[in-house]
Amino acid sequence: MHGPRAQRPDTGVDSGGQTRERLLDVAERLFASRGFAATSVRRITRDAACNLAAVNYHFGSKLGLYEEVFRRRLEAVRDQRLAAIRRAATIQPGPGALEEVLYIFASSFIEPLVGESHGRMLTELMGREMLDPHLPPEMFRGEIAGPVQEALTQALCRTTPGLSVDAARLCVQSITGQLVQTAQRVRRQSATPMAGPPLTIVVDHIVRFSAAGVRASVGGAPAGSPHGRPQRS
Amino acid sequence: MHGPRAQRPDTGVDSGGQTRERLLDVAERLFASRGFAATSVRRITRDAACNLAAVNYHFGSKLGLYEEVFRRRLEAVRDQRLAAIRRAATIQPGPGALEEVLYIFASSFIEPLVGESHGRMLTELMGREMLDPHLPPEMFRGEIAGPVQEALTQALCRTTPGLSVDAARLCVQSITGQLVQTAQRVRRQSATPMAGPPLTIVVDHIVRFSAAGVRASVGGAPAGSPHGRPQRS
DNA sequence: TGACGACTCATACGATCGTTTGAGATGATG
DNA sequence: CATCATCTCAAACGATCGTATGAGTCGTCA
């Protein structure tokens, strides 16, 4: 029992915590680009120029480091994304308001993927955690995905008269599904360059596609099939 | 150099190939439920009640086994899915034809997930390979995903007058994005039961949402923003 | 019968993994 | 100075991984 055992040691030493921060930075980059399982503690500590045991000392385990990587960014990301949605939600209902909400959301989701490496890493990290979870469920879904999806749900309801909450939730799933797939495509595309439409085209398409889809979801969707499931079959 | 080295030995021995088939069956199940990296050769050979070295003897390597698991099912799956789309493509254009195409496609994508375990494994396998590729790119995308997406693109063009091929391709991405996300949700839901709307509701929503999205994609989508990107920003 | 190919077997190899250990360095505190 | 907590270090531990090796079993055929 040497270390603080995944407890912040709240040290006062000047150089204390430098290794800790370096580990978090390096781990964030590696986890984002390779995933949790494919990133070894040895590689992290080598890139961070510190000892192998530092991970276990500061974070208790590899998983503890992974959780702390997320925890460090949780509030910032959630607040930023919620702010974007709230910014969109203040728009008074009217023609084009739905498109504006969708465009803001899609951009805030996709944009970090193209430019600098900071937000990009974070988005890739989130995407990986969505597909292959290692965090306790209440941490990721409860702290990030949940509030964001709920906020988008409300924004959709506000800008689309007649849209029920249940239908809006389904629409949110449809929208995030498209965005996650696009993010995956971008990630793989950066690894091995392949053909594909530029991102601005894709975002524009998703906005237009989804706006129509949302508007078509008003009405008695959940239970029956008002406009009719196809006649045959 | 003992074995056939990933070459079908086309043996005539009565019991020859029994181990091979058992390995393929067990590996298919394990790869589907746990993924490639998380499935060890030792677990496969243990479940198949054969020796550890059998994998390397029959398939050359773990990756060779993985490829053969796919190769064994490639034609059947592709033909089945293409048949479903062609069945949908024969529908003469008209009101509701687009919904019918989408419903057939979505059902053929989602339905194997719920019922028996055979098609379910395959769908999970495909989903995993989409997200975390291990196969040579020309094998998966070229043999399955490519033809299917191309067929759906043409079916959309046929049932939606004025839809350009480029726009249709974007729509296909939107549709598959929703379906893949739904498949992921089903997979995780089967592991840890959580709340969520029943699948029939989700499929109905995807059909309605996507039909509206497709119809909204006719017109000069690719380059400009005919109906306007949101005014501000 | 004896040689041969096909196949399975137990076992070992080398590598990598996450984690643990105990000693040493450092700086604040009494 | 002595003490103590904080932090870093080299080194090792035990486990698991994919793969390789060589002997052994069995059916076929000259």
Side-chain angles (χ1 to χ4, degrees), chain A residues 78-106:
Chain A
R78 183 194 50 194
D79 293 349
Q80 168 190 338
R81 215 164 270 191
L82 285 180
I85 296 180
R86 261 194 232 99
R87 178 160 62 95
T90 58
I91 298 163
Q92 63 276 20
L98 175 58
E99 275 83 359
E100 196 159 351
V101 167
L102 292 175
Y103 186 78
I104 290 176
F105 183 73

Side-chain angles (χ1 to χ4, degrees), chain A residues 167-184:
Chain A
R169 259 188 260 272
L170 287 171
C171 291
V172 168
Q173 291 299 316
S174 291
I175 294 163
T176 55
Q178 296 175 69
L179 292 174
V180 167
Q181 157 143 327
T182 302
Q184 288 294 113

